[in-house]
């Protein structure tokens, strides 16, 4: 998965494409998916292993 | 209530308290009329023999009937009964609009009046037309509806059903059901249970309950948790609750299916036993089975949205989403920002507690004059981060980043918190029997039947006699019967499965017709002397949960104006020690405690007063002493202990040009 240098990327809600934060700044700073132009992005879950206790 | 409410307004669904009777709810079959052009109605009436009002001669005016449209007199007619029946026939045939209703009134002195209404806002209800003692709705029509060939509109078009408003209802005679039709009847009810509104239609066996209990349930059904919509994962509602394992109630009502309640149920079927248990279910408390809760009974999740927008201000300054640095004004402490990622927003699935920052944001100062004279660098930013509410905790569920209407970056964070039922959470059956969990008992301590059945919920028998909610008992037995035979029970008001059938079916499946079973104590193992009433009842989890309410304060924030503790849990407030509580302490003679409550723990203030003139003295910085402006040298300043609210009162009076003077005496 090619990501930006700082490893932070968002995901487009409509087309599920990954958009890196660096690129967003490059394109004028507006929140926009680079592929489909949708203006709502979602944060991507970090690949951390989480322990969930069964209650 | 008024007889016209029948079929138009729900008799039970109204709020308790100040809005009682003022806020009403429509009944299921009621519909509101839509306006019809008055001119068209006039053009229909004049050819039918109505003489316009200015043209009627004296004789017609005295002997004929007055004709009104929407309350305005338009003319007279010599034969009113024929006019009325002709109008109604035309409406049934579809020649005039079905929105028109005609009422014929004969007053005592034989002056007849006909009211034709075609305005908007009338509450009308559908009724089956009865001609010469025979209902117009025949089996072949029912077949056509079942097969889908005919719809509701076809029934109205074919003069089987017509809509009657409150005025026309005065002229008709409605039979309650098809068996009660006699030659005198003009209409027959569609179904009697449609007199209820939406919430009251969810109650099984409501005709066996005391009426106010149905009203309470109608209010509580709106507080029950369920799955409010299936796309809750994509929604950003500021607060929402989702029940983990909703179940369709095993004792249903016919309107439930129509309303779609079975697609989004808001409760669970529970095995409910009626016993006093160890004193933990007194005063409407409930005892819950620990193992049932561990298997998911009553579990729900609470979602909350936190949002932040990076606004732009005059002068090009704008907010920024960033992890604030230590030098910034309003910096909270490094630990509060530990969950933020490089973009200033918390990462997904991070576990947060109250006070943790979710969105790090810095803003320029509100007013440019805010920065002090000796600062060279320019406006210093201050921390305006969004943090988790003080008393809450949760896991970050989802984060949405988008643009607001003005083009500013907008971040919305949804935090979820799993709510497992604990002591203090509120539950209710569908009969106004609300209660709070008083105790969670391990399954091994629960009373058990020979078959091994153990109750999920134990209700105290004292909750029943004064409330007279027999519907709960019937639901319990019907639920047990439905579980045994594998088919849900029908608890629709007036057309439900009768108690005799329930009893018979219970006997067929080996249960007692009383609904009681032999139980053994889980703690001692002894058989209970009395058989215990047990069955299946649909219980709803209400959104009053103890973790949203528990609150404590020892010392904390005070208000600026009154210097008294703040109000409200969200602001870390104190609980008001009000006038009536003050009266109680006075009654006990506990004067020192009262002084503690009202002064030491609230807004105690030392006020310097000039004894000479009685006004407030002020502190002169240069002379380092309290002086009275009015009596410069004659002043005798003494301190008095008062509440800050009293000093505020003095100053408010002064602002009204009233001069409050304080007369001081030496403490004895």
């Amino acid at each position: 998965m090619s990501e930006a240098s700082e490893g932070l990327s968002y995901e487009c809600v409509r087309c599920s494409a990954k958009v890196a934060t660096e690129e967003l700044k490059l394109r004028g700073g507006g929140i926009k998916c680079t592929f489909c132009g949708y203006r709502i992005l979602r944060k991507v879950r970090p690949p951390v292993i989480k322990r969930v206790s069964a209650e | 209530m008024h007889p016209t409410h029948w079929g138009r307004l729900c008799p039970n669904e109204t709020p308790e308290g100040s809005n009682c009777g003022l806020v009403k709810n429509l009944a299921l079959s009621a519909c509101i009329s839509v306006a019809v052009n008055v001119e068209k109605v006039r053009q229909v009436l004049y050819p039918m023999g109505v003489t316009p009002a200015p043209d009627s001669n004296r004789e017609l005016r005295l002997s004929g009937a007055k004709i009104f449209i929407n309350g305005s007199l338009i003319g007279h007619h010599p034969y009113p009964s024929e006019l009325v029946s002709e109008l109604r026939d035309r409406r049934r045939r579809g020649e005039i609009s079905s929105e028109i209703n005609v009422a014929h009134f004969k007053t005592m002195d034989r002056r007849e009046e006909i009211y034709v209404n075609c305005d908007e806002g009338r509450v009308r209800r559908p009724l089956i037309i009865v001609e010469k003692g025979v209902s117009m709705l025949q089996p072949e029509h029912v077949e056509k509806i079942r097969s889908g060939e005919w719809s509701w509109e076809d029934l109205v078009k074919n003069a089987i059903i017509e809509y009657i408003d409150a005025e026309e209802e005065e002229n008709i005679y409605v039979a309650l059901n098809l068996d009660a039709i006699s030659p005198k009847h003009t209409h027959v009810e569609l179904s009697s249970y449609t007199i209820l509104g939406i919430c009251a239609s969810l109650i099984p066996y409501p005709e066996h309950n005391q009426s106010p209990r149905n009203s309470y349930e109608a209010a509580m059904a709106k507080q029950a948790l369920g799955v409010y919509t299936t796309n809750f994962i994509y929604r950003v509602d500021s607060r929402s609750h989702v029940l983990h394992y909703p179940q369709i109630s095993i004792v249903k009502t016919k309107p439930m299916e129509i309303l779609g309640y079975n697609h989004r149920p808001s409760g669970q079927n529970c095995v409910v036993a009626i016993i006093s248990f160890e004193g933990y279910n007194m005063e409407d408390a409930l005892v819950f089975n620990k193992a049932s809760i561990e298997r998911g009974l009553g579990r729900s999740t609470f979602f909350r949205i936190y949002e932040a927008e990076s606004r732009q201000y005059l002068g090009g300054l704008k907010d920024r989403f960033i992890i604030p640095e230590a030098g910034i004004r309003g910096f909270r402490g490094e630990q509060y920002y530990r969950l933020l990622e490089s973009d200033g927003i918390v990462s997904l699935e991070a576990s947060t507690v109250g006070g943790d920052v979710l969105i790090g944001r810095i803003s320029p100062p509100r007013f440019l004059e805010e920065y002090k004279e000796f600062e060279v660098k320019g406006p210093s930013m201050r921390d305006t981060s969004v943090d988790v509410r003080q008393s809450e905790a949760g896991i970050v569920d989802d984060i949405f980043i988008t643009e607001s209407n003005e083009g500013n970056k907008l971040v919305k964070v949804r935090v979820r918190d799993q709510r497992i039922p604990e002591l203090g959470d509120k539950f209710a059956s569908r009969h106004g029997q609300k209660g709070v969990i008083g105790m969670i008992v391990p399954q091994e301590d629960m009373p058990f039947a020979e078959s091994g059945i153990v109750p999920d919920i134990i209700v105290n028998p004292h909750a029943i006699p004064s409330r007279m909610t027999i519907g709960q008992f019937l639901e319990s037995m019907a639920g047990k019967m439905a579980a045994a035979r594998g088919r849900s029970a029908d608890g629709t008001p007036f057309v439900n499965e009768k108690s005799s059938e329930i009893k018979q079916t219970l006997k067929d499946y080996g249960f007692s017709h009383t609904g009681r079973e032999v139980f053994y104590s889980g703690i001692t193992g002894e058989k209970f002397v009395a058989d215990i009433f047990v069955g299946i009842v649909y219980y709803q989890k209400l959104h009053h949960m103890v973790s949203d309410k528990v609150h404590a304060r020892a010392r904390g924030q005070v208000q600026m104006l009154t210097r008294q503790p703040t109000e409200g849990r969200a602001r870390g407030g104190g609980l008001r020690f009000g006038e009536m509580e003050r009266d109680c302490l006075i009654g006990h003679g506990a004067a020192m405690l009262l002084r503690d409550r009202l002064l030491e723990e609230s807004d105690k203030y030392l006020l310097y007063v000039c004894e000479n003139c009685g006004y407030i003295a002020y502190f002169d910085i240069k002379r380092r002493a309290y002086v009275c402006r009015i009596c410069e040298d004659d002043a005798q300043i003494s301190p008095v202990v008062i509440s800050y609210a009293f000093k505020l009162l003095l100053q408010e009076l002064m602002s009204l040009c009233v001069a409050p003077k304080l007369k001081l005496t030496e403490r004895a």
Side-chain angles (χ1 to χ4, degrees):
Chain A
M1 196 87 284
S2 58
E3 283 165 358
S5 49
E6 52 184 36
L8 193 58
S9 60
Y10 299 142
E11 184 187 65
C12 170
V13 169
R14 184 160 66 181
C15 67
S16 319
K18 292 264 195 295
V19 181
T21 8
E22 286 290 305
E23 269 203 58
L24 275 178
K25 280 207 214 121
L26 282 171
R27 285 163 191 252
I31 309 295
K32 206 170 170 183
C33 170
T34 37
F35 296 92
C36 68
Y38 200 52
R39 286 206 144 85
I40 302 179
L41 300 177
R42 170 199 272 137
K43 229 178 158 178
V44 165
R45 182 183 171 156
V48 197
I49 302 173
K50 191 172 148 186
R51 283 211 111 163
V52 181
S53 67
E55 296 169 62
Chain B
M1 286 201 64
H2 190 270
T4 18
H5 291 0
W6 176 278
R8 295 192 176 85
L9 292 176
C10 180
N12 275 312
E13 197 180 339
T14 183
E16 305 168 57
S18 49
N19 276 330
C20 187
L22 303 176
V23 175
K24 303 173 265 286
N25 283 278
L26 269 186
L28 279 180
S29 60
C31 97
I32 314 284
S33 73
V34 149
V36 167
N37 199 343
V38 178
E39 263 319 300
K40 282 204 193 136
V41 181
R42 246 199 269 235
Q43 297 314 319
V44 166
L45 282 176
Y46 287 143
M48 285 169 74
V50 172
T51 327
D55 304 337
S56 340
N57 57 27
R58 187 149 198 277
E59 194 211 302
L60 186 59
R61 265 185 277 137
L62 287 173
S63 64
K66 296 201 200 84
I67 315 293
F68 295 84
I69 294 185
N70 291 347
S72 321
L73 177 70
I74 59 153
H76 301 81
H77 194 280
Y79 306 109
S81 310
E82 280 97 9
L83 176 65
V84 168
S85 49
E86 177 60 27
L87 271 173
R88 288 185 183 147
D89 279 338
R90 285 203 193 178
R91 179 183 70 204
R92 289 176 190 177
R93 286 198 295 267
E95 287 161 27
I96 57 177
S97 167
S98 58
E99 297 276 330
I100 297 171
N101 285 106
V102 192
H104 181 196
F105 293 113
K106 301 185 189 142
T107 51
M108 288 225 285
D109 52 353
R110 278 180 279 115
R111 289 278 193 87
E112 294 181 46
E113 297 176 345
I114 294 181
Y115 285 86
V116 178
N117 285 319
C118 58
D119 56 342
E120 64 272 25
R122 291 168 293 130
V123 187
R124 312 189 314 150
R125 67 197 193 96
L127 291 169
I128 301 174
I129 302 172
V130 166
E131 294 270 340
K132 299 189 184 70
V134 172
S135 149
M136 292 291 286
L137 183 73
Q138 293 302 320
E140 60 258 23
H141 304 130
V142 179
E143 255 322 298
K144 284 195 183 164
I145 297 175
R146 280 225 182 92
S147 67
E149 192 188 327
W150 266 17
S151 71
W152 180 264
E153 284 76 31
D154 294 310
L155 285 172
V156 180
K157 266 191 247 168
N158 287 285
I160 295 171
I161 287 184
E162 67 177 351
Y163 281 88
I164 306 287
D165 74 345
E167 266 191 303
E168 190 169 339
E169 207 170 5
E170 297 280 331
N171 294 149
I172 63 177
Y173 187 25
V174 186
L176 270 178
N177 49 44
L178 291 168
D179 306 320
I181 298 180
S182 77
K184 280 210 217 145
H185 286 102
T186 60
H187 291 79
V188 66
E189 290 277 354
L190 271 163
S191 25
S192 38
Y193 52 81
T194 48
I195 57 170
L196 297 175
I198 297 177
C199 289
S201 301
L202 303 175
I203 307 172
Y205 299 98
E207 72 271 28
H208 298 271
N209 282 334
Q210 186 197 12
S211 184
R213 292 285 140 194
N214 289 334
S215 301
Y216 298 153
E217 169 56 26
M220 287 197 294
K222 300 174 199 152
Q223 301 175 22
L225 308 186
V227 181
Y228 63 101
T229 174
T230 40
N231 68 343
F232 64 85
I233 280 289
Y234 298 106
R235 291 176 63 93
V236 281
D237 303 295
S238 48
R239 266 176 302 136
S240 55
H241 294 270
V242 176
L243 190 67
H244 284 199
Y245 299 105
Q247 293 178 348
I248 299 179
S249 55
I250 208 171
V251 182
K252 301 195 241 209
T253 62
K254 287 199 175 70
M256 269 186 195
E257 187 60 52
I258 303 164
L259 292 168
Y261 187 75
N262 288 332
H263 288 283
R264 22 190 122 70
S266 57
Q268 293 165 317
N269 298 294
C270 306
V271 177
V272 176
I274 309 220
I275 331 173
S276 286
F277 189 81
E278 310 287 315
Y280 283 102
N281 57 2
M282 292 170 71
E283 295 283 346
D284 293 330
L286 303 171
V287 171
F288 263 60
N289 183 337
K290 181 156 185 259
S292 301
I293 292 178
E294 286 170 352
R295 288 185 213 112
L297 184 75
R299 267 195 204 202
S300 65
T301 293
F302 172 61
F303 294 101
R304 189 179 227 111
I305 290 284
Y306 295 88
E307 78 169 73
E309 188 180 342
S310 94
R311 272 184 246 111
Q312 287 188 325
Y313 303 89
L314 307 159
L317 301 163
K318 56 178 167 172
D319 299 339
R320 280 174 66 205
F321 289 125
I322 190 181
I323 307 180
E325 282 152 8
I328 291 255
R329 253 186 315 146
F331 189 73
R332 294 150 201 254
E334 208 178 302
Q335 43 154 322
Y336 294 105
Y337 302 101
R338 70 186 188 284
L339 299 162
L340 298 179
E341 286 184 325
S342 55
D343 57 355
I345 308 172
V346 67
S347 56
L348 280 166
E349 295 299 313
S351 189
T352 64
V353 292
D356 286 346
V357 169
L358 293 170
I359 306 167
R361 177 177 63 176
I362 53 175
S363 310
R366 270 179 306 231
F367 315 105
L368 278 175
E369 306 90 60
E370 246 182 46
Y371 67 94
K372 306 190 178 87
E373 297 136 22
F374 47 86
E375 214 149 297
V376 191
K377 267 184 274 182
S380 63
M381 306 291 257
R382 63 197 163 93
D383 171 300
T384 49
S385 307
V386 171
D387 60 346
V388 179
R389 279 206 192 188
Q390 198 47 47
S391 44
E392 293 184 5
I395 298 172
V396 177
D397 190 56
D398 214 344
I399 301 172
F400 296 99
I401 301 161
T402 184
E403 267 183 8
S404 70
N405 277 338
E406 290 90 37
N408 300 323
K409 183 169 172 184
L410 176 64
V411 178
K412 289 197 183 192
V413 177
R414 187 171 64 218
V415 177
R416 72 163 180 269
D417 183 22
Q418 181 174 184
R419 300 284 176 89
I420 303 173
E422 53 175 323
L423 260 56
D425 286 354
K426 191 171 174 188
F427 286 79
S429 72
R430 290 182 288 176
H431 307 273
Q433 290 285 11
K434 46 186 178 251
V436 149
I437 298 186
M439 185 67 184
I440 300 178
V441 161
Q443 180 158 318
E444 54 270 23
D445 290 343
M446 277 281 191
F448 59 93
E450 194 178 322
S451 54
I453 300 278
V454 147
D456 294 321
I457 301 179
I458 304 184
V459 174
N460 197 311
H462 290 91
I464 308 292
S466 64
R467 302 197 171 112
M468 300 187 290
T469 144
I470 302 305
Q472 172 134 350
F473 284 146
L474 283 164
E475 184 189 349
S476 179
M477 291 171 69
K480 194 163 164 184
M481 161 189 86
R485 72 180 181 192
R487 190 167 47 90
S488 50
D490 187 1
T492 314
F494 317 125
V495 289
N496 42 39
E497 301 190 43
K498 295 284 166 253
S499 47
S500 44
E501 295 163 29
I502 302 176
K503 286 189 194 169
Q504 186 53 50
T505 320
L506 281 174
K507 267 199 274 202
D508 294 341
Y509 283 95
F511 294 108
S512 160
H513 70 100
T514 56
R516 295 191 215 127
E517 289 183 30
V518 174
F519 265 77
Y520 300 83
S521 160
I523 304 171
T524 63
E526 292 168 325
K527 180 162 101 84
F528 285 143
V529 173
D531 293 350
I532 306 295
F533 184 85
V534 67
I536 297 187
V537 181
Y538 193 68
Y539 260 80
Q540 304 169 303
K541 181 177 188 185
L542 307 181
H543 70 71
H544 300 287
M545 282 171 279
V546 75
S547 41
D548 296 323
K549 299 188 187 235
V550 65
H551 173 50
R553 170 194 164 121
R555 233 166 310 162
Q557 277 190 316
V558 290
Q559 286 178 350
M560 268 200 292
L561 181 66
T562 58
R563 293 201 192 174
Q564 288 175 352
T566 41
E567 183 189 335
R569 178 178 113 118
R571 282 169 286 204
L575 295 176
R576 181 177 164 86
F577 193 81
E579 298 175 44
M580 303 213 277
E581 288 70 32
R582 174 206 71 125
D583 297 339
C584 292
L585 286 190
I586 296 174
H588 283 290
M592 290 292 110
L593 178 59
L594 235 194
R595 191 194 70 178
D596 257 11
R597 269 309 99 200
L598 264 42
L599 285 181
E600 316 291 331
E601 311 247 356
S602 181
D603 54 352
K604 180 175 176 184
Y605 185 66
L606 198 63
L607 184 70
Y608 284 85
V609 179
C610 168
E611 283 192 60
N612 203 7
C613 58
Y615 294 118
I616 303 176
Y618 79 96
F619 188 71
D620 190 340
I621 303 181
K622 288 190 194 143
R623 273 182 265 174
R624 304 259 185 96
Y626 282 92
V627 296
C628 174
R629 258 279 171 255
I630 304 155
C631 19
E632 297 272 2
D633 288 322
D634 303 330
Q636 254 187 304
I637 317 282
S638 339
V640 201
V641 171
I642 53 166
S643 64
Y644 192 86
F646 180 63
K647 171 244 182 209
L648 181 63
L649 171 67
L650 293 176
Q651 289 184 313
E652 284 175 342
L653 286 174
M654 281 155 63
S655 75
L656 292 171
C657 295
V658 172
K661 289 191 193 178
L662 295 173
K663 277 194 192 156
L664 307 180
T665 46
E666 204 53 55
R667 178 180 296 215

